[in-house]
Amino acid sequence: MEIALLLADKILQLTLMVLLGYAIVKTKLLTSEQSYPISIIGLYIISPAVLISAFQVDYTPIILNGLYLAFIVSILLSSLLVFLGWIFKKILKLDNIEQATTVYSNSGNLIIPIVASLFGNEWVIYSTAFIVVQTMLFWSHLRTLICGRGSVPLRKVLFNINIIAIFVGLILFLLHIKLPTTIAHTLSSLGQMIGPLSMLVAGMLIAAIPFKEIITDKRIYLVSFLRLILLPLILLTVVKLCGFEGWVKNGEIILMITLLATISPSAATVTQMAVAYGQDARKASAIYGVTTLLCVFTMPLIIWLYQIL
């Protein structure tokens, strides 16, 4: 229960940042359209910095085994999310933005600061497993959904700066190479911006949507139910039935970190990509905003269930 309460407090802090982004537009200091360059900074500078920094830890067999477990579970849960998203699209007639915000969670922007606060910076590396898997999907499956095109060339996926950052970080980790202190601190400082930056962008985009439009749109609440309640309960059941906790040392905490990444609000990246590629950013940001506000209640509940089951 203590972890659940600490989680609720951290999520509340990030939610307040969303409100600050909302306020800066409402007071006419900036416009919602000016969130575009901030989104680009987040996607192409802050995110790669986070991914490389996360691998700058001491190499040990225990950490490596924990990463193996995190990757196995992340691939399993990500595949399940994509499959269930496809099923829900067929059954509930979800459009592409609704499907994307149902499937993809805020695994980096929200989870990294939460994991660092709850468990310490040394545990952040385990959250990178899900981030790596989801980042691959971001620039392949998600980009296809957002752009509305049949497929994305493999070259554009592999040579995206975020994918390159993953490979660079992983190689440095496996070869026991530590970056020079100046570079490491620069990347670390940039990485600390990921949570606040994403929350501010979301708030700025939400400010452009009439409040009545948000609270009266039943589709937003349908997607919120899928993202925050139904999918997390399905994934929690799968994790518990598979008995992954006993596979490695600290398996219970590693699984909790991975589960946290899957039960978080809709991904800020969906909103950022919708802005970058000229798609329906209003709907994406509305869903992101509502799920971010509601996750203050749903995420601690799911983690509490994880701990008592």
Side-chain angles (χ1 to χ4, degrees):
M1 178 59 79
E2 181 181 356
I3 290 179
L5 292 175
L6 290 172
L7 176 61
D9 179 66
K10 185 59 182 179
I11 295 172
L12 184 58
Q13 293 175 34
L14 295 172
T15 302
L16 291 175
M17 296 177 193
V18 174
L19 297 178
L20 289 174
Y22 181 90
I24 204 170
V25 171
K26 288 300 183 181
T27 55
K28 303 187 185 305
L29 293 173
L30 291 175
T31 65
S32 290
E33 290 73 19
Q34 288 173 313
S35 65
Y36 175 79
I38 304 176
S39 296
I40 296 300
I41 291 171
L43 283 174
Y44 293 99
I45 296 180
I46 308 301
S47 180
V50 169
L51 293 168
I52 293 175
S53 295
F55 286 98
Q56 288 291 290
V57 296
D58 293 329
Y59 179 102
T60 68
I62 292 177
I63 291 178
L64 190 60
N65 289 334
L67 271 176
Y68 286 149
L69 173 62
F71 270 109
I72 290 171
V73 177
S74 296
I75 292 170
L76 172 64
L77 297 185
S78 294
S79 301
L80 188 57
L81 281 168
V82 171
F83 174 71
L84 290 173
W86 178 77
I87 294 294
F88 290 143
K89 179 177 183 177
K90 298 295 183 182
I91 296 174
L92 302 172
K93 309 297 182 184
L94 303 179
D95 62 29
N96 286 347
I97 291 293
E98 291 170 344
Q99 182 184 359
T101 49
T102 295
V103 170
Y104 291 102
S105 61
N106 209 10
S107 61
N109 301 340
L110 189 65
I111 297 307
I112 287 178
I114 285 176
V115 170
S117 296
L118 293 181
F119 305 110
N121 290 327
E122 65 273 18
W123 292 91
V124 171
I125 188 171
Y126 299 113
S127 67
T128 62
F130 190 85
I131 294 171
V132 166
V133 174
Q134 189 164 252
T135 299
M136 295 291 290
L137 291 171
F138 276 161
W139 296 97
S140 53
H141 179 254
L142 174 60
R143 187 177 174 190
T144 299
L145 289 178
I146 296 298
C147 294
R149 296 166 187 164
S151 62
V152 177
L154 182 61
R155 178 181 60 82
K156 289 190 176 182
V157 176
L158 295 179
F159 289 96
N160 174 269
I161 189 171
N162 290 277
I163 302 300
I164 293 173
I166 290 168
F167 284 120
V168 169
L170 188 57
I171 289 171
L172 293 175
F173 172 74
L174 294 176
L175 295 180
H176 307 190
I177 297 174
K178 290 295 184 69
L179 294 170
T181 302
T182 301
I183 296 177
H185 286 174
T186 299
L187 294 177
S188 177
S189 297
L190 286 170
Q192 292 173 10
M193 297 168 61
I194 190 168
L197 192 75
S198 300
M199 301 300 115
L200 290 172
V201 167
M204 292 173 69
L205 290 170
I206 293 170
I209 307 171
F211 184 70
K212 183 178 179 180
E213 182 178 326
I214 296 177
I215 64 174
T216 59
D217 190 341
K218 295 180 181 179
R219 302 293 293 185
I220 292 179
Y221 294 103
L222 170 62
V223 173
S224 298
F225 171 75
L226 295 175
R227 170 96 293 277
L228 297 177
I229 298 177
L230 184 56
L231 281 175
L233 289 176
I234 293 173
L235 299 181
L236 173 62
T237 302
V238 170
V239 167
K240 286 297 182 179
L241 288 178
C242 290
F244 292 118
E245 294 98 327
W247 284 22
V248 299
K249 184 178 180 180
N250 300 318
E252 184 176 358
I253 297 178
I254 294 171
L255 281 177
M256 186 187 298
I257 290 171
T258 307
L259 185 63
L260 273 170
T262 67
I263 66 175
S264 61
S266 297
T269 304
V270 176
T271 299
Q272 292 170 329
M273 279 196 175
V275 172
Y277 293 107
Q279 300 302 312
D280 192 356
R282 285 167 62 93
K283 175 181 281 190
S285 60
I287 294 172
Y288 173 67
V290 171
T291 54
T292 298
L293 294 173
L294 294 179
C295 80
V296 176
F297 307 101
T298 60
M299 287 182 69
L301 176 61
I302 298 298
I303 292 302
W304 176 70
L305 290 174
Y306 172 83
Q307 291 182 293
I308 66 172
L309 291 178

